[in-house]
Amino acid sequence: MNKSLSRQDSKTAPRAPPEEQEVLKKSPWIHAWSDPVASLCIYGGAMRLCDTDDDGEHKLVLADSNSRKLKVYKGTNLHFEAQLPDVPSCLEYFYSAPKKPAIPYIAVGCGSAIYIHYKYKAYYKLALPDVQINPQEKDIWKKIHSGELTIPDACKALQVLRNDENELGGVSKTLLALGKEAQKKFVESVKGADLNEKDFVVCMSRINKNIDEDKSTSQLVVGTESKQVLIVDPSGCLFYTSDAAD
């Protein structure tokens, strides 16, 4: 971003407060520009430098948690912004095919989905696959609802599963945390409900598919809250689990 600052920008850019200027004088970093009223809140994985227009000028692309917006800065000026449906957790760009102009896809992780932007427009949404619960856990719940297992016996069976280092689903964890009377009401409230849970995007990166160059065809690598690593096809349409990927 420092290369994009013109002399005019440096003259008109707002100065940091006096106490901050003293700190900056002692800092080894070059102070290019600051804006104390920008009100940006950005996590480390939600900011990239990217040539969004294939014009040789890299722009600062970020996902702001305060405003829930995708923003692109050209130099010190806001070049583009778009509203996001949820608080963003991470951001990455990738190229789907070797074509000219080489315009990247911008992927933003929000909740349980990835929102792809292309040429400054919302392009498509990619939802994460649900987290499948343990088959034994699912069988216990089936027996609870059919009357084959009493709630106390089911809780014991779930406790045994957890003691064997199996990760229980949220519904089972809630049941074990409740008192006896509350457990009965809870079991009735989840009768017939889908026990599988939503997964959430935690972090993203990318890997080049064939050639180790910045604008070559690449794939998104997605880390989720359920400790899964997912690979997104270059077309952006298919997920592969870490075990299934080549």
Side-chain angles (χ1 to χ4, degrees):
M1 186 174 177
N2 296 358
K3 295 180 180 179
S4 302
L5 292 172
S6 64
R7 291 182 180 178
Q8 184 64 30
D9 287 333
S10 61
K11 290 178 181 179
T12 59
R15 291 182 175 273
E19 60 274 13
E20 189 177 329
Q21 290 183 29
E22 287 299 317
V23 175
L24 291 169
K25 286 178 182 178
K26 301 176 183 178
S27 173
W29 297 99
I30 297 173
H31 177 60
W33 175 70
S34 67
D35 185 353
V37 296
S39 299
L40 296 174
C41 178
I42 309 145
Y43 297 107
M47 181 169 56
R48 295 287 184 270
L49 281 172
C50 176
D51 186 0
T52 56
D53 300 308
D54 196 26
D55 57 0
E57 182 176 2
H58 282 64
K59 300 169 187 65
L60 180 63
V61 183
L62 56 89
D64 179 26
S65 296
N66 275 346
S67 62
R68 298 186 180 185
K69 288 183 177 181
L70 170 65
K71 297 186 177 185
V72 179
Y73 281 87
K74 183 177 182 179
T76 60
N77 299 315
L78 182 62
H79 183 61
F80 166 79
E81 66 176 14
Q83 191 66 50
L84 297 169
D86 204 346
V87 178
S89 58
C90 50
L91 177 148
E92 189 56 89
Y93 67 91
F94 67 97
Y95 295 87
S96 67
K99 57 185 178 182
K100 291 292 183 179
I103 306 297
Y105 291 82
I106 309 296
V108 185
C110 294
S112 59
I114 299 170
Y115 295 85
I116 311 291
H117 288 74
Y118 183 64
K119 293 183 177 179
Y120 301 116
K121 294 180 181 178
Y123 197 61
Y124 56 83
K125 169 187 172 182
L126 192 60
L128 294 187
D130 289 344
V131 179
Q132 303 294 317
I133 69 167
N134 188 303
Q136 292 174 281
E137 182 183 353
K138 186 178 290 187
D139 186 57
I140 290 170
W141 276 98
K142 185 178 179 181
K143 289 179 179 179
I144 293 174
H145 295 312
S146 66
E148 294 179 54
L149 269 180
T150 63
I151 294 176
D153 288 340
C155 288
K156 288 178 183 178
L158 290 171
Q159 190 66 54
V160 169
L161 267 182
R162 184 161 65 178
N163 292 341
D164 288 339
E165 298 185 355
N166 291 295
E167 183 69 29
L168 296 182
V171 177
S172 297
K173 289 177 182 177
T174 302
L175 179 67
L176 293 175
L178 296 173
K180 290 183 179 180
E181 290 301 319
Q183 283 178 341
K184 292 179 182 178
K185 294 180 180 178
F186 180 71
V187 168
E188 286 299 319
S189 68
V190 297
K191 193 171 184 177
D194 185 6
L195 298 177
N196 294 328
E197 299 177 332
K198 293 290 184 184
D199 208 353
F200 297 93
V201 183
V202 175
C203 57
M204 285 193 297
S205 185
R206 73 181 192 279
I207 52 174
N208 292 333
K209 191 172 182 183
N210 299 314
I211 307 171
D212 190 18
E213 293 180 0
D214 184 47
K215 295 183 181 181
S216 62
T217 304
S218 49
Q219 296 174 291
L220 275 181
V221 183
V222 183
T224 74
E225 191 177 56
S226 66
K227 305 174 185 178
Q228 295 293 310
V229 176
L230 305 174
I231 310 295
V232 183
D233 185 82
S235 66
C237 298
L238 295 173
F239 275 121
Y240 300 97
T241 63
S242 54
D243 293 335
D246 293 335

